[in-house]
Amino acid sequence: MRRYADLVEAAFSDDNGVQIQRVCVARNVRILPSKLRTLAHHASVIRNGRRLAKWHTGDLFHVIDGSHGYLAKILRHRQTVMTVHDVIPKLQCLGRFGVPKPGRLSRRIIDSAVDGLGYAKHLIFDSRSTRQDCNDLGVPLRGNDSIVFPPLERQFSVDEAVPRTEMGRPSTESYLFHIGNNGFYKNREGVINVFSKVAASIPHRLVMAGPPPTAAHQQLARRLGIDDRIDFECDPSDARVRELYRGADALVFPSIYEGFGWPPIEAMAMGCPVVCTDGGSLAEVVGEAAMASAVGDDTTMAANLLQVLSDRSVADRLISAGLGHAKGFGMIAFRSKLERIYRSVVGDGIGMETSASIHYDHRP
């Protein structure tokens, strides 16, 4: 959530009318035994949230992490805006993804977070898909809600002035790219499976950026006989990620579910063709600027990928469409929508030059 807090702060960095103060209400729990971290984390959020509600004088609170939706109930007597990025944990509890449900304590916390969302004065959703999920879960939507796509960070802004032929990698080092964590919904296993279906037909390597792979990922690559063609880049810097987008012949993104999904838009902005699923919000986020297939249909995704790699006109079309599409995820539109929401919550009677937005910043 730090990334989203950075974006909100950057949106108003040159605006003296909206003063941003970031407040972290979560304690650092990494020093505690793993079994105690979840309880200690949420206990600290509740305790400090109550203090915030009682003592802070800000005109408006913007809670930037819907997984702490219970804060909206704690802050119910204050002007509160809540951003909901996704409801993956609740959907997991309901068996949506066919993976084990969270433990009993986690389920109680998740239920409390979802129930608390209805207390916010205004809900911001990253996508229509997430809004629909909340509606299906029974979250009260009284018309005080908005769809606001997060913007691209500055280092991933559209830059058409740099041709891909000048991006600094030898043409012989062809590779496909994926970026994501080890969460089940990111489907890193699917990335490996899709690559295995096309590996014999192409000279490319597969670069997977994110945390270190699990033993299961490594075993799957060995079993499929492609482990010597996969490079894992562990926790690369933003500069390195930008370089990887620019050098890749395609982004492979077989995500099971996304509340928004930054990587496809970042790839488009860097001139990289996108081959993805329609999981969660992805269909609405990528529009017609990517080749999308149904979740779990690795065969169709592999066919789409081969088409991009074998037909230059298809790749060029996706690059052009992607660059144009990515321009719609700019900071100016993001800021304008947030300011309009803030004004609607605090009312026109409060001068924006004296109002303050308080952003909850989750640093575990």
Side-chain angles (χ1 to χ4, degrees), residues 326-345:
K327 289 179 180 179
F329 296 82
M331 183 65 77
I332 294 176
F334 179 68
R335 168 180 162 169
S336 176
K337 290 177 181 178
L338 285 186
E339 182 172 342
R340 186 162 58 248
I341 292 167
Y342 293 167
R343 281 187 176 276
S344 72
V345 172

Side-chain angles (χ1 to χ4, degrees), residues 207-229:
V207 178
M208 299 183 68
T214 66
H217 296 146
Q218 294 173 317
Q219 290 168 4
L220 176 62
R222 284 195 296 270
R223 180 167 60 82
L224 295 173
I226 54 174
D227 53 307
D228 61 338
R229 292 178 62 182

Side-chain angles (χ1 to χ4, degrees), residues 70-141:
Y70 49 74
L71 278 173
K73 185 175 183 179
I74 293 173
L75 298 167
R76 63 187 180 278
H77 299 304
R78 308 295 295 272
Q79 305 291 7
T80 305
V81 173
M82 173 84 66
T83 295
V84 184
H85 303 284
D86 62 68
V87 286
I88 292 174
K90 181 60 180 178
L91 297 179
Q92 184 182 352
C93 290
L94 297 174
R96 170 86 167 263
F97 305 112
V99 297
K101 297 179 180 180
R104 182 180 300 177
L105 174 60
S106 293
R107 292 200 301 271
R108 291 185 63 182
I109 293 170
I110 292 165
D111 287 342
S112 178
V114 173
D115 292 342
L117 294 177
Y119 288 88
K121 297 296 190 299
H122 198 106
L123 289 173
I124 298 173
F125 299 102
D126 279 359
S127 62
R128 290 187 296 276
S129 173
T130 298
R131 185 187 188 278
Q132 184 61 53
D133 285 337
C134 284
N135 186 57
D136 294 343
L137 291 172
V139 174
L141 301 176

